[in-house]
Amino acid sequence: MKKEQILSLEYGDKHAKIMFIGEGPGADEDIQGEPFVGKAGQLMNKAFEYIGIDRSKVYIANIVKCRPPGNRDPEEDEASACMDYLRNQVILIKPKIIVLLGRIALQHILGPEYKITASRGKWFDKKGIKYMPTWHPSAVLRDENKKLYFIRDLLMVLQKERTLQ
Ligand code: URA
C-alpha cells in the first residue's frame, strides 16, 4: 500500500478507515514533519506491530499542527485555530473510526466534560463515526500499567474495523 503524506505533519492513507488524533507535534515531529515519530510514536508503532495495525494504512493527525513551546498543552485559541483544518481532514478521509489519543484530543473532539479515565475503552458514536478514546502514548510511557489498557483499546479498534468491512 502506498504511503502518502497528504499534509505537513499529518501522515497516512487517504482511504484509511481508522484515524488517530493526537495532541500536537513534539520536537522530533517538528524536525521530521511526521506525527508520532518520537518516543511516544515508537511506542505506538510497537503496539501497532504487536496488534497487527499497519501504520501506512491508517491516518494520523493532531489537534494542533504546530508544536506548542515547551510541549505545554495547546491553548484554546491554538486548538480552535486548527479545528477547521482537522474537520476538513475528517471530511476528506471519511474514517469510520477515530481513536482519540489522550485527554486533549478527547476533550476537543467530544467535549470538555469527557474525562479520559472514565471514557477510555468505550465507544462513542457521533455523526456516523465511532470514537474510541484511549491513553496518549506519552502517558503509557510514563506509566507502564496503562500499556495493557492501551493495547486492549487498540485491539477493540481493530476488531471493530473488521466488522465494518
Ligand atoms: N504527541 C502527539 O500528540 N502528537 C504527535 O504527533 C507526537 C507526539
Side-chain angles (χ1 to χ4, degrees), residues 9-10 21-30 34-41 44 55 60-64 71 101-102 104-105 136-138:
L9 283 168
E10 311 299 311
I21 302 181
E23 183 177 323
D28 294 305
E29 288 75 21
D30 237 12
E34 187 178 318
F36 285 101
V37 289
K39 284 206 174 90
M44 200 161 89
R55 182 175 160 120
I60 307 177
N62 276 308
I63 294 290
V64 290
N71 287 340
L101 297 164
I104 300 288
H136 190 284
S138 301

Side-chain angles (χ1 to χ4, degrees), residues 53-66:
I53 294 177
D54 183 342
R55 182 175 160 120
S56 70
K57 289 186 183 163
V58 300
Y59 193 84
I60 307 177
N62 276 308
I63 294 290
V64 290
K65 313 304 182 190
C66 303

